[in-house]
Amino acid sequence: MGLIIIIADKEESLRFVFFLPESQSFIGVNYGEVANNLPPPADTAKLLQSTSISKIRLYGANPAVIQALAGTNISLVIATANGDIPSLAGDPSAAAAWVAANVLPYFPASAISTISVGNELLPAMQNLRLALAAKSLAGKIKVSTVHPMSVLAHFLEQTGGPFMINPYPFFAYQSDPRPETLAFCLFQPNQGRFDDGSKKTYTNMFDAQVDAVRSAVDREGFTGVEIVVAETGWPYNGDPSEAGAGVENARAYTSNLVAHLRSMVGTPLMPGKPVETYLFALYDENLKPGPASERSFGLYRPGDLSMNYDAGLAKSSQGKVQNLLFSALLLSPPLAN
């Protein structure tokens, strides 16, 4: 549900109707746990409820986090550990045990929507699907992975699971650090780029990367498979050698992406429907190895839950829009006859 604002003059001549959603079913966030300073799960649940984020993707099945989100209507993607995959692929009873331990105690109070499975995983996914079906949950909880392959697309089309991908315009900019590429990656004004294959003109890298996968999946004949962006983000900090990493670029990318999704325009190959997208990430993961950017994707600080930058996700920012609209109503003159 959301707020419907009808602005009219004193004589009730309609000016416009404005629908302001409290949350968007197509905007989610990733919750990584490679850190030693994360807040209690209950605090994370409260933080999420103060935002327009309606989905969260875990990289495991942390019971404390799953329990904390019970009754919040926040949809969860949970994941199997890589170490579980051999047994899940080779033994249906192992898949049944995994579902019994990680799904049944929490569902449906915790709104688990998808189980994401890691590498070379079709047998493991099939066994998890069978385990869910045995508990009459196959129609309610989907099974997916972030690894693309044609045989996987066949499984997903059969079961209704999403095809999960990780587009990162930030890394595309790293390989081509020109000003025009940065504008293209940040959804800023640019000349656009014409794609010879689709005969479409793209004004941002995100759409181009998503549609490249859409086109590849369609060529395999799987036009009914839904594309889901499992990860995308921009680091607010990085090493001196990491071109483009910084607060202003992170704010521009994330806030413009959120606005792009909310516009409902879709992509050139999928117009009129926003792609379900999980932002990376809710918090920084301070124990991640690698360059500084790897530890600098968080939207919020784990210590005090304040924003690293404002991406327009807080419900309070929507309240500001409401106040501006009502002020405009009070201050504007009557419509001319």
Side-chain angles (χ1 to χ4, degrees), residues 106-131:
Y106 315 112
F107 185 85
S110 296
I112 299 169
S113 66
T114 303
I115 299 170
S116 180
V117 187
N119 291 305
E120 291 300 320
L121 349 151
L122 189 57
M125 293 170 65
Q126 289 172 328
N127 285 338
L128 282 170
R129 174 78 179 181
L130 290 172

PDB file of all heavy atoms in Angstrom, residues 106-131:
ATOM      1  N   TYR A 106      10.834 -21.464  10.000  1.00  0.00           N
ATOM      2  CA  TYR A 106      10.633 -20.016   9.876  1.00  0.00           C
ATOM      3  C   TYR A 106       9.510 -19.623   8.917  1.00  0.00           C
ATOM      4  O   TYR A 106       8.910 -18.556   9.062  1.00  0.00           O
ATOM      5  CB  TYR A 106      11.937 -19.358   9.413  1.00  0.00           C
ATOM      6  CG  TYR A 106      13.141 -19.863  10.158  1.00  0.00           C
ATOM      7  CD1 TYR A 106      14.110 -20.634   9.523  1.00  0.00           C
ATOM      8  CD2 TYR A 106      13.300 -19.591  11.509  1.00  0.00           C
ATOM      9  CE1 TYR A 106      15.212 -21.115  10.206  1.00  0.00           C
ATOM     10  CE2 TYR A 106      14.401 -20.071  12.209  1.00  0.00           C
ATOM     11  CZ  TYR A 106      15.354 -20.832  11.553  1.00  0.00           C
ATOM     12  OH  TYR A 106      16.432 -21.310  12.245  1.00  0.00           O
ATOM     13  N   PHE A 107       9.256 -20.433   7.926  1.00  0.00           N
ATOM     14  CA  PHE A 107       8.263 -20.106   6.903  1.00  0.00           C
ATOM     15  C   PHE A 107       6.879 -20.557   7.368  1.00  0.00           C
ATOM     16  O   PHE A 107       6.732 -21.645   7.917  1.00  0.00           O
ATOM     17  CB  PHE A 107       8.630 -20.822   5.592  1.00  0.00           C
ATOM     18  CG  PHE A 107       7.758 -20.468   4.430  1.00  0.00           C
ATOM     19  CD1 PHE A 107       8.021 -19.344   3.660  1.00  0.00           C
ATOM     20  CD2 PHE A 107       6.659 -21.248   4.104  1.00  0.00           C
ATOM     21  CE1 PHE A 107       7.213 -19.014   2.589  1.00  0.00           C
ATOM     22  CE2 PHE A 107       5.838 -20.926   3.042  1.00  0.00           C
ATOM     23  CZ  PHE A 107       6.118 -19.803   2.283  1.00  0.00           C
ATOM     24  N   PRO A 108       5.820 -19.747   7.191  1.00  0.00           N
ATOM     25  CA  PRO A 108       5.753 -18.493   6.418  1.00  0.00           C
ATOM     26  C   PRO A 108       5.913 -17.212   7.235  1.00  0.00           C
ATOM     27  O   PRO A 108       5.789 -16.130   6.686  1.00  0.00           O
ATOM     28  CB  PRO A 108       4.361 -18.565   5.821  1.00  0.00           C
ATOM     29  CG  PRO A 108       3.557 -19.216   6.899  1.00  0.00           C
ATOM     30  CD  PRO A 108       4.465 -20.233   7.542  1.00  0.00           C
ATOM     31  N   ALA A 109       6.128 -17.309   8.567  1.00  0.00           N
ATOM     32  CA  ALA A 109       6.268 -16.080   9.362  1.00  0.00           C
ATOM     33  C   ALA A 109       7.385 -15.202   8.806  1.00  0.00           C
ATOM     34  O   ALA A 109       7.252 -13.982   8.702  1.00  0.00           O
ATOM     35  CB  ALA A 109       6.543 -16.433  10.822  1.00  0.00           C
ATOM     36  N   SER A 110       8.499 -15.829   8.450  1.00  0.00           N
ATOM     37  CA  SER A 110       9.557 -15.151   7.707  1.00  0.00           C
ATOM     38  C   SER A 110       9.321 -15.445   6.228  1.00  0.00           C
ATOM     39  O   SER A 110       9.241 -16.611   5.828  1.00  0.00           O
ATOM     40  CB  SER A 110      10.935 -15.656   8.137  1.00  0.00           C
ATOM     41  OG  SER A 110      11.192 -15.342   9.491  1.00  0.00           O
ATOM     42  N   ALA A 111       9.194 -14.395   5.442  1.00  0.00           N
ATOM     43  CA  ALA A 111       8.714 -14.527   4.061  1.00  0.00           C
ATOM     44  C   ALA A 111       9.832 -14.962   3.117  1.00  0.00           C
ATOM     45  O   ALA A 111      10.292 -14.198   2.262  1.00  0.00           O
ATOM     46  CB  ALA A 111       8.107 -13.212   3.595  1.00  0.00           C
ATOM     47  N   ILE A 112      10.292 -16.207   3.269  1.00  0.00           N
ATOM     48  CA  ILE A 112      11.319 -16.759   2.383  1.00  0.00           C
ATOM     49  C   ILE A 112      10.715 -16.943   0.994  1.00  0.00           C
ATOM     50  O   ILE A 112       9.712 -17.641   0.834  1.00  0.00           O
ATOM     51  CB  ILE A 112      11.846 -18.097   2.928  1.00  0.00           C
ATOM     52  CG1 ILE A 112      12.483 -17.891   4.304  1.00  0.00           C
ATOM     53  CG2 ILE A 112      12.857 -18.708   1.962  1.00  0.00           C
ATOM     54  CD1 ILE A 112      12.801 -19.192   5.025  1.00  0.00           C
ATOM     55  N   SER A 113      11.316 -16.303   0.005  1.00  0.00           N
ATOM     56  CA  SER A 113      10.775 -16.377  -1.356  1.00  0.00           C
ATOM     57  C   SER A 113      11.633 -17.210  -2.286  1.00  0.00           C
ATOM     58  O   SER A 113      11.138 -17.792  -3.242  1.00  0.00           O
ATOM     59  CB  SER A 113      10.629 -14.969  -1.949  1.00  0.00           C
ATOM     60  OG  SER A 113      11.909 -14.375  -2.126  1.00  0.00           O
ATOM     61  N   THR A 114      12.953 -17.266  -2.019  1.00  0.00           N
ATOM     62  CA  THR A 114      13.876 -17.904  -2.959  1.00  0.00           C
ATOM     63  C   THR A 114      15.032 -18.527  -2.197  1.00  0.00           C
ATOM     64  O   THR A 114      15.491 -17.967  -1.202  1.00  0.00           O
ATOM     65  CB  THR A 114      14.425 -16.873  -3.971  1.00  0.00           C
ATOM     66  OG1 THR A 114      13.337 -16.245  -4.648  1.00  0.00           O
ATOM     67  CG2 THR A 114      15.346 -17.527  -5.001  1.00  0.00           C
ATOM     68  N   ILE A 115      15.511 -19.667  -2.675  1.00  0.00           N
ATOM     69  CA  ILE A 115      16.756 -20.267  -2.193  1.00  0.00           C
ATOM     70  C   ILE A 115      17.774 -20.151  -3.309  1.00  0.00           C
ATOM     71  O   ILE A 115      17.559 -20.659  -4.416  1.00  0.00           O
ATOM     72  CB  ILE A 115      16.565 -21.741  -1.806  1.00  0.00           C
ATOM     73  CG1 ILE A 115      15.536 -21.884  -0.686  1.00  0.00           C
ATOM     74  CG2 ILE A 115      17.893 -22.363  -1.377  1.00  0.00           C
ATOM     75  CD1 ILE A 115      15.121 -23.319  -0.426  1.00  0.00           C
ATOM     76  N   SER A 116      18.856 -19.465  -3.042  1.00  0.00           N
ATOM     77  CA  SER A 116      19.916 -19.298  -4.038  1.00  0.00           C
ATOM     78  C   SER A 116      21.015 -20.325  -3.760  1.00  0.00           C
ATOM     79  O   SER A 116      21.448 -20.505  -2.634  1.00  0.00           O
ATOM     80  CB  SER A 116      20.489 -17.873  -3.954  1.00  0.00           C
ATOM     81  OG  SER A 116      21.520 -17.693  -4.903  1.00  0.00           O
ATOM     82  N   VAL A 117      21.440 -20.981  -4.833  1.00  0.00           N
ATOM     83  CA  VAL A 117      22.440 -22.042  -4.700  1.00  0.00           C
ATOM     84  C   VAL A 117      23.669 -21.638  -5.493  1.00  0.00           C
ATOM     85  O   VAL A 117      23.565 -21.075  -6.573  1.00  0.00           O
ATOM     86  CB  VAL A 117      21.869 -23.385  -5.216  1.00  0.00           C
ATOM     87  CG1 VAL A 117      22.828 -24.526  -4.938  1.00  0.00           C
ATOM     88  CG2 VAL A 117      20.510 -23.658  -4.586  1.00  0.00           C
ATOM     89  N   GLY A 118      24.845 -21.979  -4.973  1.00  0.00           N
ATOM     90  CA  GLY A 118      26.119 -21.484  -5.511  1.00  0.00           C
ATOM     91  C   GLY A 118      26.698 -22.080  -6.769  1.00  0.00           C
ATOM     92  O   GLY A 118      26.363 -21.704  -7.810  1.00  0.00           O
ATOM     93  N   ASN A 119      27.569 -23.007  -6.909  1.00  0.00           N
ATOM     94  CA  ASN A 119      28.283 -23.386  -8.140  1.00  0.00           C
ATOM     95  C   ASN A 119      27.830 -24.718  -8.743  1.00  0.00           C
ATOM     96  O   ASN A 119      27.598 -25.648  -8.002  1.00  0.00           O
ATOM     97  CB  ASN A 119      29.772 -23.543  -7.847  1.00  0.00           C
ATOM     98  CG  ASN A 119      30.418 -22.226  -7.550  1.00  0.00           C
ATOM     99  OD1 ASN A 119      30.338 -21.315  -8.324  1.00  0.00           O
ATOM    100  ND2 ASN A 119      31.069 -22.142  -6.425  1.00  0.00           N
ATOM    101  N   GLU A 120      27.776 -24.784 -10.081  1.00  0.00           N
ATOM    102  CA  GLU A 120      27.502 -26.038 -10.791  1.00  0.00           C
ATOM    103  C   GLU A 120      26.427 -26.852 -10.077  1.00  0.00           C
ATOM    104  O   GLU A 120      26.634 -27.938  -9.568  1.00  0.00           O
ATOM    105  CB  GLU A 120      28.785 -26.878 -10.902  1.00  0.00           C
ATOM    106  CG  GLU A 120      29.826 -26.304 -11.817  1.00  0.00           C
ATOM    107  CD  GLU A 120      29.338 -26.156 -13.248  1.00  0.00           C
ATOM    108  OE1 GLU A 120      28.644 -27.056 -13.733  1.00  0.00           O
ATOM    109  OE2 GLU A 120      29.637 -25.136 -13.871  1.00  0.00           O
ATOM    110  N   LEU A 121      25.290 -26.315 -10.103  1.00  0.00           N
ATOM    111  CA  LEU A 121      24.330 -26.742  -9.129  1.00  0.00           C
ATOM    112  C   LEU A 121      23.008 -27.312  -9.551  1.00  0.00           C
ATOM    113  O   LEU A 121      22.138 -27.398  -8.731  1.00  0.00           O
ATOM    114  CB  LEU A 121      23.914 -25.515  -8.362  1.00  0.00           C
ATOM    115  CG  LEU A 121      24.733 -24.362  -8.618  1.00  0.00           C
ATOM    116  CD1 LEU A 121      23.917 -23.179  -8.438  1.00  0.00           C
ATOM    117  CD2 LEU A 121      25.815 -24.399  -7.696  1.00  0.00           C
ATOM    118  N   LEU A 122      22.847 -27.646 -10.772  1.00  0.00           N
ATOM    119  CA  LEU A 122      21.512 -28.102 -11.183  1.00  0.00           C
ATOM    120  C   LEU A 122      20.999 -29.291 -10.366  1.00  0.00           C
ATOM    121  O   LEU A 122      19.857 -29.271  -9.899  1.00  0.00           O
ATOM    122  CB  LEU A 122      21.510 -28.435 -12.670  1.00  0.00           C
ATOM    123  CG  LEU A 122      20.133 -28.705 -13.271  1.00  0.00           C
ATOM    124  CD1 LEU A 122      19.188 -27.533 -13.054  1.00  0.00           C
ATOM    125  CD2 LEU A 122      20.243 -29.060 -14.734  1.00  0.00           C
ATOM    126  N   PRO A 123      21.812 -30.351 -10.119  1.00  0.00           N
ATOM    127  CA  PRO A 123      21.292 -31.450  -9.289  1.00  0.00           C
ATOM    128  C   PRO A 123      20.897 -30.994  -7.885  1.00  0.00           C
ATOM    129  O   PRO A 123      19.869 -31.422  -7.350  1.00  0.00           O
ATOM    130  CB  PRO A 123      22.459 -32.446  -9.252  1.00  0.00           C
ATOM    131  CG  PRO A 123      23.249 -32.153 -10.472  1.00  0.00           C
ATOM    132  CD  PRO A 123      23.143 -30.661 -10.654  1.00  0.00           C
ATOM    133  N   ALA A 124      21.710 -30.129  -7.291  1.00  0.00           N
ATOM    134  CA  ALA A 124      21.380 -29.628  -5.953  1.00  0.00           C
ATOM    135  C   ALA A 124      20.077 -28.846  -5.976  1.00  0.00           C
ATOM    136  O   ALA A 124      19.231 -28.975  -5.078  1.00  0.00           O
ATOM    137  CB  ALA A 124      22.519 -28.743  -5.433  1.00  0.00           C
ATOM    138  N   MET A 125      19.890 -28.036  -7.010  1.00  0.00           N
ATOM    139  CA  MET A 125      18.665 -27.249  -7.122  1.00  0.00           C
ATOM    140  C   MET A 125      17.451 -28.160  -7.303  1.00  0.00           C
ATOM    141  O   MET A 125      16.393 -27.930  -6.725  1.00  0.00           O
ATOM    142  CB  MET A 125      18.779 -26.264  -8.294  1.00  0.00           C
ATOM    143  CG  MET A 125      19.816 -25.181  -8.071  1.00  0.00           C
ATOM    144  SD  MET A 125      20.108 -24.221  -9.578  1.00  0.00           S
ATOM    145  CE  MET A 125      18.513 -23.464  -9.784  1.00  0.00           C
ATOM    146  N   GLN A 126      17.604 -29.207  -8.119  1.00  0.00           N
ATOM    147  CA  GLN A 126      16.493 -30.124  -8.340  1.00  0.00           C
ATOM    148  C   GLN A 126      16.088 -30.828  -7.046  1.00  0.00           C
ATOM    149  O   GLN A 126      14.899 -30.995  -6.754  1.00  0.00           O
ATOM    150  CB  GLN A 126      16.876 -31.150  -9.417  1.00  0.00           C
ATOM    151  CG  GLN A 126      16.960 -30.540 -10.815  1.00  0.00           C
ATOM    152  CD  GLN A 126      17.523 -31.495 -11.834  1.00  0.00           C
ATOM    153  OE1 GLN A 126      18.369 -32.342 -11.518  1.00  0.00           O
ATOM    154  NE2 GLN A 126      17.088 -31.374 -13.075  1.00  0.00           N
ATOM    155  N   ASN A 127      17.089 -31.241  -6.251  1.00  0.00           N
ATOM    156  CA  ASN A 127      16.776 -31.916  -4.991  1.00  0.00           C
ATOM    157  C   ASN A 127      16.119 -30.974  -3.987  1.00  0.00           C
ATOM    158  O   ASN A 127      15.203 -31.377  -3.256  1.00  0.00           O
ATOM    159  CB  ASN A 127      18.040 -32.529  -4.395  1.00  0.00           C
ATOM    160  CG  ASN A 127      18.473 -33.793  -5.128  1.00  0.00           C
ATOM    161  OD1 ASN A 127      17.662 -34.434  -5.793  1.00  0.00           O
ATOM    162  ND2 ASN A 127      19.742 -34.136  -5.019  1.00  0.00           N
ATOM    163  N   LEU A 128      16.568 -29.725  -3.952  1.00  0.00           N
ATOM    164  CA  LEU A 128      15.915 -28.753  -3.077  1.00  0.00           C
ATOM    165  C   LEU A 128      14.480 -28.519  -3.516  1.00  0.00           C
ATOM    166  O   LEU A 128      13.572 -28.383  -2.689  1.00  0.00           O
ATOM    167  CB  LEU A 128      16.689 -27.425  -3.081  1.00  0.00           C
ATOM    168  CG  LEU A 128      17.952 -27.388  -2.227  1.00  0.00           C
ATOM    169  CD1 LEU A 128      18.751 -26.122  -2.518  1.00  0.00           C
ATOM    170  CD2 LEU A 128      17.596 -27.445  -0.736  1.00  0.00           C
ATOM    171  N   ARG A 129      14.284 -28.473  -4.816  1.00  0.00           N
ATOM    172  CA  ARG A 129      12.928 -28.303  -5.343  1.00  0.00           C
ATOM    173  C   ARG A 129      12.029 -29.471  -4.916  1.00  0.00           C
ATOM    174  O   ARG A 129      10.890 -29.280  -4.493  1.00  0.00           O
ATOM    175  CB  ARG A 129      13.003 -28.217  -6.866  1.00  0.00           C
ATOM    176  CG  ARG A 129      11.665 -28.182  -7.571  1.00  0.00           C
ATOM    177  CD  ARG A 129      11.033 -26.825  -7.508  1.00  0.00           C
ATOM    178  NE  ARG A 129       9.760 -26.808  -8.220  1.00  0.00           N
ATOM    179  CZ  ARG A 129       8.996 -25.751  -8.355  1.00  0.00           C
ATOM    180  NH1 ARG A 129       9.360 -24.603  -7.827  1.00  0.00           N
ATOM    181  NH2 ARG A 129       7.856 -25.813  -9.002  1.00  0.00           N
ATOM    182  N   LEU A 130      12.570 -30.693  -4.980  1.00  0.00           N
ATOM    183  CA  LEU A 130      11.801 -31.857  -4.566  1.00  0.00           C
ATOM    184  C   LEU A 130      11.499 -31.827  -3.071  1.00  0.00           C
ATOM    185  O   LEU A 130      10.406 -32.199  -2.633  1.00  0.00           O
ATOM    186  CB  LEU A 130      12.567 -33.138  -4.925  1.00  0.00           C
ATOM    187  CG  LEU A 130      12.683 -33.468  -6.417  1.00  0.00           C
ATOM    188  CD1 LEU A 130      13.619 -34.650  -6.626  1.00  0.00           C
ATOM    189  CD2 LEU A 130      11.311 -33.750  -7.021  1.00  0.00           C
ATOM    190  N   ALA A 131      12.482 -31.361  -2.289  1.00  0.00           N
ATOM    191  CA  ALA A 131      12.278 -31.279  -0.844  1.00  0.00           C
ATOM    192  C   ALA A 131      11.192 -30.272  -0.498  1.00  0.00           C
ATOM    193  O   ALA A 131      10.370 -30.494   0.399  1.00  0.00           O
ATOM    194  CB  ALA A 131      13.588 -30.907  -0.154  1.00  0.00           C
TER     195      ALA A 131
END
